Amino acid sequence: MHNKALVLFSGGQDSATCLAWALDRYDHVETIGFDYGQRHRVELECRQTVLEKLREQLPQWAPRLGEDHLLDLGLLGQISDTALTADKAIAFEQSGLPNTFVPGRNIIFFTFAAAVALRRGISVLVGGMCETDYSGYPDCRDDTLKALQVTLGLGLDQRVVIETPLMWLDKGRTWEMAEGLGGEALVELFREETHSCYVGDRATRHPWGYGCGRCPACELRAAGFERYSRRSIASN
Ligand code: ZN
């Protein structure tokens, strides 16, 4: 049962890297995504493109890549008043968190993923959460997810393992991980086709991919790619 994994795959760089990590490691990998009224809905199209191109360009993984599940979580968009789900400016709140924080989003995502995984005979859930280079979202923290792993396992009366391979990596190392798993081809695929930008900009091209260049997600992605590029130059 531990040779199968379900990857929380949003279409972003982090979850795409986790998908590659899982394809390298497990015999059978399925993906799950959520439509929750996010402003950057374009990521849902990007995730389809990434899945297609992974199959084409990394054929060694194609036989392992199984079903994709897309869940409608419109309710989450309805109950949260955030800059990620409503048309308002992205800003930092007094708590220090950006107002793009959708309360409990990852807890909800993993809970639904666990229910799907149970039905599919899968015990490993993989997510791209990271508390090294992040916006401070408390549901991305290692402690939150370790506690959730225990809760889900008890609540479903079945072993549930939550793997977060990016937890202690900065965003530069995440690009390096992609390179290590699938070489330059995978880095190029992720740079071109994964989507991080919170406002959904796919028109402006930067060295690190498409995005507005100003939102917190673009800033993290840009800084990470620069760090990755500098390290690559230094090591060549
Ligand atoms: Zn952006």
Side-chain angles (χ1 to χ4, degrees), residues 24 64 71 203:
D24 185 58
R64 298 179 171 191
L71 267 58

Side-chain angles (χ1 to χ4, degrees), residues 197-199 211-215 217-218:
C197 175
Y198 283 155
V199 298
C212 73
R214 292 179 302 275
C215 74
C218 280

